[in-house]
Amino acid sequence: MQLLTMARILRVAGAPVTDALCVLERPLGGRGLLDGHGVALHPLLAEADLPGSSGAAS
């Protein structure tokens, strides 16, 4: 997951990364992975909120 990779790089550089922002959250397990590393995810939209979405990952 790219957000977790960037959080790790920034932490190695000394940044106190605790939050991440994304435009669209898809239900693929990324939130749990980030939570497990102490990073809270803040999406602008969730896939389930999109018109015509069944809420399931495709």
Side-chain angles (χ1 to χ4, degrees):
M1 156 172 251
Q2 191 64 33
L3 283 175
L4 183 55
T5 300
M6 289 309 303
R8 287 177 174 163
I9 290 169
L10 290 168
R11 284 177 171 172
V12 167
V17 178
T18 58
D19 297 270
L21 176 68
C22 70
V23 174
L24 179 65
E25 179 185 9
R26 297 186 65 208
L28 302 175
R31 179 181 291 269
L33 185 62
L34 288 166
D35 283 345
H37 287 87
V39 179
L41 181 63
H42 303 281
L44 297 178
L45 296 168
E47 185 176 37
D49 297 332
L50 296 175
S53 175
S54 64
S58 54

